[in-house]
Amino acid sequence: MIPIKYILFLVSGVSSFIIFYMGLVNYITAVDGTTGIILLVFATAVSAGTLLSTTYISKSITKPIEKLAQNMTEFSKTNKIIDKKPFNTNIKEIYELIMNFESMGKKVEETISMQNEYVEKLKNIDKKKVEFSSMISHELKTPLVPILGYVQMLQKQDLMGPLNNQQLDAINEIYSSALKLQKLVGDILTTQKLDLGKLVFNQEDIQISEFLDLIIKDFTPITNLKKISLLKEYDGDAIIFSDRDRINQVFSNLIKNSIDFVVPEKGEIVIGAKPDNDFMQFFVKDNGVGISKDNQKEIFKKFYQIDTSTSRKRDGSGLGLAICKGIVEGLGGKIWVESEENVGTTFYFTIPN
C-alpha cells in the first residue's frame, strides 16, 4: 500500500510541473516579452506555492495520521500507548480523532489493569482453596489408618473374638467402604498436588519388559477372578529413565478402567510399548464397550463420568484419567485415546527415554 504523503507529493509534483510548463510555453510563444515574463513568473510562483502547500498539508495531516496509525498498531500489540508525545496539527477533525483515541486507550489500559488485578486475586483465591482442600483431604486420610487397622483386627476372629455372620458382614462392608474412601482421598490429594505443581517425581532406570511383566503379575488375580485375558505385547530390551511408581499408577488406572468396561469371560486387555523417536509409547488396549466421540473429548477432565445416572454400576470419582494426564504431562509426555463403540478402546501415552 502507498503512504498518503507519497500520493500527495506525486499529485502536487505533477500539477506544479504542468503549471510551470504552461508558463514556460507561454513565455516562449508570447508576442509581447513583458507578458511572457509575467506569465512565467506567475506560473513559477503557483508551482512553488503548490509544493509549499503540499509540504504544509503533509505536515498538518499526513504526519499526525502516520503517527496515529503507528500508535494504533503498537496499541493492538501491547494494549498500551507507548508514544504519548503531543501531536502537532491544526486540523480540527484529526485533532479530535487523536484525542478520542488517547482517551479510549487510557480507558482500555485502566480496564486491562483492573482485569489483571482481578485475575491475580482469583488465582490467589483458587490457590488458597486448593491448599485448604488439600489440608482437609490430608486430615480425612489420617483417621482412616486406625479405622482400617481395627477393622482388619476385627476380621481376624482369633485375635479380637468370634463374630456371627451378620456382624462379619457389617465389618466387611465397613472395610470395603473405608478402602473406597481411602482411594478417593488419595486421588484428591494427588490431583491437588498436580494442580499446585507439588507432585514429586523420582526417576530411575526402568527395564520395560520386566516392568510390564510385574504389572501383569499384580493384576493377574483380579483378571483370573473375572476370567479376563491380560496380555503383554512387547519383546524388546529398552530402558527408560523415569518414575517407575507414577508410570505404574497410570497403568493401574487404565487397566482398572478396562476391567470395568470389558465383558467377563470374553474380555481381553493388552498392555505394551513401542519406541517413538525420543519417547517410549505405552498403550492399554481392550475389547470393551468403547467410548463415544463426545465422551472422548471430555474424559480427561476432573470428576468427569461417562455414566452419570444415579443407577450407574461402576464406582469411581472421575479423577483417575485426570491423574493419568497430570502424571504423564508432568513426566514430559502426552496421553490420548482412540476408541470405537462396541469394538474397543486404546489409551496411549508417551514417556521420554
Side-chain angles (χ1 to χ4, degrees):
M1 300 179 70
I2 304 175
I4 188 173
K5 66 179 181 180
Y6 293 158
I7 296 175
L8 280 174
F9 278 111
L10 178 63
V11 172
S12 66
V14 171
S15 301
S16 299
F17 175 77
I18 292 172
I19 293 170
F20 178 77
Y21 178 76
M22 290 176 62
L24 183 61
V25 170
N26 287 327
Y27 170 73
I28 295 172
T29 59
V31 177
D32 185 2
T34 303
T35 303
I37 291 173
I38 292 172
L39 290 173
L40 179 60
V41 170
F42 178 75
T44 302
V46 171
S47 297
T50 301
L51 290 173
L52 290 172
S53 63
T54 301
T55 303
Y56 173 79
I57 291 172
S58 175
K59 183 178 180 181
S60 301
I61 298 177
T62 60
K63 285 189 177 180
I65 290 176
E66 286 177 352
K67 189 176 180 182
L68 177 60
Q70 182 181 0
N71 282 354
M72 291 177 74
T73 301
E74 292 294 331
F75 184 77
S76 66
K77 295 178 181 178
T78 63
N79 293 323
K80 291 183 180 180
I81 300 175
I82 297 176
D83 188 359
K84 296 185 179 181
K85 294 179 182 179
F87 288 86
N88 295 319
T89 179
N90 296 321
I91 309 300
K92 179 182 177 182
E93 290 78 2
I94 295 178
Y95 179 80
E96 290 179 349
L97 178 63
I98 292 169
M99 291 299 102
N100 288 335
F101 170 71
E102 289 183 349
S103 176
M104 179 200 71
K106 290 178 182 177
K107 290 179 180 178
V108 171
E109 284 185 35
E110 291 173 359
T111 302
I112 291 174
S113 178
M114 291 177 61
Q115 183 182 12
N116 290 337
E117 289 179 7
Y118 286 134
V119 169
E120 287 302 316
K121 288 181 180 179
L122 288 172
K123 284 182 179 178
N124 289 333
I125 292 172
D126 190 57
K127 184 177 180 181
K128 290 178 180 178
K129 180 183 70 176
V130 172
E131 289 175 346
F132 176 76
S133 299
S134 180
M135 182 267 293
I136 294 297
S137 300
H138 182 75
E139 292 302 315
L140 284 172
K141 190 176 182 180
T142 302
L144 280 173
V145 176
I147 290 173
L148 285 168
Y150 279 113
V151 168
Q152 287 174 325
M153 290 173 67
L154 288 169
Q155 287 174 324
K156 298 176 181 179
Q157 299 185 45
D158 57 336
L159 186 64
M160 298 291 288
L163 299 172
N164 60 41
N165 290 336
Q166 188 174 5
Q167 291 171 330
L168 189 59
D169 288 341
I171 292 297
N172 290 336
E173 183 62 30
I174 292 172
Y175 181 69
S176 176
S177 297
L179 285 177
K180 290 178 182 178
L181 182 58
Q182 186 182 49
K183 184 180 184 307
L184 175 60
V185 172
D187 286 348
I188 292 173
L189 281 170
T190 301
T191 304
Q192 289 166 344
K193 287 179 181 178
L194 286 167
D195 289 341
L196 294 170
K198 293 183 178 180
L199 189 66
V200 178
F201 295 104
N202 300 307
Q203 295 183 312
E204 60 181 298
D205 287 335
I206 304 172
Q207 212 284 335
I208 302 300
S209 184
E210 178 187 338
F211 176 68
L212 296 177
D213 286 336
L214 289 173
I215 292 173
I216 289 179
K217 182 180 178 181
D218 289 340
F219 278 92
T220 296
I222 302 174
T223 54
N224 285 346
L225 182 64
K226 297 193 175 186
K227 298 181 179 179
I228 296 170
S229 175
L230 179 59
L231 307 171
K232 181 183 83 168
E233 193 175 288
Y234 181 75
D235 57 359
D237 56 357
I239 296 174
I240 63 171
F241 186 70
S242 193
D243 192 317
R244 178 186 297 270
D245 292 335
R246 295 303 179 187
I247 297 175
N248 185 55
Q249 187 176 357
V250 174
F251 265 111
S252 295
N253 284 337
L254 296 178
I255 293 172
K256 287 175 184 177
N257 279 351
S258 293
I259 290 173
D260 285 340
F261 286 94
V262 297
V263 179
E265 300 185 7
K266 295 181 181 178
E268 182 178 281
I269 302 171
V270 181
I271 66 172
K274 62 179 180 179
D276 183 12
N277 296 323
D278 295 331
F279 294 82
M280 180 62 68
Q281 183 186 105
F282 297 96
F283 64 86
V284 176
K285 179 170 61 176
D286 66 57
N287 61 346
V289 296
I291 305 170
S292 68
K293 295 294 183 182
D294 290 336
N295 284 325
Q296 288 179 38
K297 299 175 184 177
E298 309 289 338
I299 56 175
F300 291 107
K301 293 182 178 179
K302 287 184 286 188
F303 301 108
Y304 183 79
Q305 295 279 4
I306 293 177
D307 181 5
T308 56
S309 64
T310 55
S311 60
R312 64 189 180 93
K313 299 178 181 179
R314 300 175 180 89
D315 294 323
S317 61
L319 291 172
L321 291 177
I323 290 172
C324 289
K325 185 175 186 291
I327 290 173
V328 170
E329 291 180 352
L331 290 171
K334 62 179 182 178
I335 186 169
W336 68 97
V337 62
E338 294 178 4
S339 182
E340 185 177 346
E341 290 185 273
N342 301 316
V343 176
T345 301
T346 305
F347 281 93
Y348 296 93
F349 65 95
T350 57
I351 299 295
N353 290 332

